[in-house]
Amino acid sequence: MTAETLETPAIRPAAVEVHDVHKWYGAHRVLDGIDLTVQPGEVTVILGPSGSGKSTLLRVINHLEKPEIGYVSVNGELIGVRRHGERLKELSERAILAQRSRIGFVFHNFNLFPHLTVMDNVAAAPVATRKLTRPEAQELARELLGRVGLGDKTDAYPRQLSGGQQQRVAIARALALRPGIILFDEPTSALDPELVGEVLEVIKDLATSGTTLVIVTHEIGFAREVADRVVFIDGGRIVEQGPPAEALDNPRHERTRDFLSKVL
């Protein structure tokens, strides 16, 4: 495996459609009719205040959360459900896990296995889901860890790494599945300020690789630099979306302007 192969996703970049998605917990409506289309290879950055539904939307996309109304499709395939006449019927957990293996997810708190080395954290999933042999998965892991600047940390354990290094391992782990889309849930929110840059640089590199990225973040400057489109969510609804030059520099909606005035 060469560095050249790492620049090209093994499957085509994913197109994502979120159709009229509603999600609530008791009386609290978290998502209130979300419609969102992400084109193949597009970098979409989702902004909004805390509690606006950003992270829940990501979790609905890979069916970690089940919507009460609406559906999500990736490359035309319904996620977590199948059509049964006029209704949607939940897939088996095994089928859902197979779908999730094609959707990379990078959590804000890393979610690494503490008892596994960095190498094994990255190599485990390709063995389990892509049926690579252990030597093949280890070769892939070495290549990906090198790509995120951690080629010398293969034998380390997560507790021996900084937060920024752990998040870079988590990104390498997501890449190991060769997903057509990677979801990032506030990937720098758990990091000390001096470590944020190293993680954002890795994501910037990914943004040029052709993989579809959907990124929830509060890093406005980063959004302006890498996003093809910025989506602003408030109260479970999409209030504004457009290219960074429009959504960030010349927003149409008062709620967007108010939010940006407090974070810029």
Side-chain angles (χ1 to χ4, degrees), residues 68-89:
E68 270 68 39
I69 300 172
Y71 63 81
V72 174
S73 66
V74 175
N75 283 340
E77 177 185 0
L78 291 175
I79 300 300
V81 295
R82 63 179 174 84
R83 294 199 181 276
H84 186 70
E86 295 297 315
R87 304 181 65 182
L88 297 175
K89 185 175 181 179

Side-chain angles (χ1 to χ4, degrees), residues 40-193:
E42 185 177 71
V43 179
T44 298
V45 172
I46 300 176
L47 303 175
S50 296
S52 61
K54 307 182 300 297
S55 295
T56 301
L57 175 58
L58 287 195
R59 294 172 68 86
V60 165
I61 290 175
N62 79 338
H63 214 71
L64 282 171
E65 296 281 359
K66 177 183 175 181
E68 270 68 39
I69 300 172
Y71 63 81
V72 174
S73 66
V74 175
N75 283 340
E77 177 185 0
L78 291 175
I79 300 300
V81 295
R82 63 179 174 84
R83 294 199 181 276
H84 186 70
E86 295 297 315
R87 304 181 65 182
L88 297 175
K89 185 175 181 179
E90 187 85 356
L91 295 177
S92 69
E93 186 61 27
R94 182 176 181 180
I96 293 171
L97 288 172
Q99 290 183 326
R100 284 190 193 130
S101 73
R102 302 191 291 273
I103 303 172
F105 201 117
V106 177
F107 298 85
H108 72 275
N109 58 350
F110 324 135
N111 276 21
L112 300 178
F113 296 111
H115 63 289
L116 297 181
T117 65
V118 165
M119 167 73 78
D120 288 339
N121 262 282
V122 178
V127 172
T129 64
R130 292 181 57 202
K131 307 306 180 186
L132 270 63
T133 65
R134 183 169 174 78
E136 288 172 338
Q138 288 179 330
E139 180 185 358
L140 173 63
R142 287 190 190 93
E143 293 284 358
L144 291 172
L145 288 166
R147 180 176 174 182
V148 300
L150 295 173
D152 60 341
K153 299 293 185 181
T154 56
D155 296 326
Y157 287 87
R159 65 179 180 274
Q160 298 172 311
L161 304 179
S162 70
Q165 289 171 328
Q166 289 185 62
Q167 193 61 292
R168 285 187 279 154
V169 173
I171 293 171
R173 182 179 60 181
L175 287 170
L177 291 174
R178 288 291 190 262
I181 177 173
I182 303 179
L183 311 174
F184 291 85
D185 186 11
E186 300 195 28
T188 61
S189 65
L191 302 180
D192 293 333

Side-chain angles (χ1 to χ4, degrees), residues 5-20:
T5 62
L6 298 177
E7 295 300 324
T8 304
I11 61 174
R12 61 193 173 104
V16 181
E17 181 183 359
V18 179
H19 178 76
D20 191 29

Side-chain angles (χ1 to χ4, degrees), residues 43-47 200 203-204 207 215-231 242-245 247-249 259-260 264:
V43 179
T44 298
V45 172
I46 300 176
L47 303 175
L200 295 183
I203 301 175
K204 288 176 188 177
I215 307 166
V216 168
T217 184
H218 290 291
E219 302 287 340
I220 304 299
F222 169 74
R224 182 178 281 108
E225 185 174 351
V226 305
D228 296 307
R229 184 159 50 123
V230 172
V231 176
L248 296 178
D249 298 331
F259 172 80
L260 291 173
L264 288 176

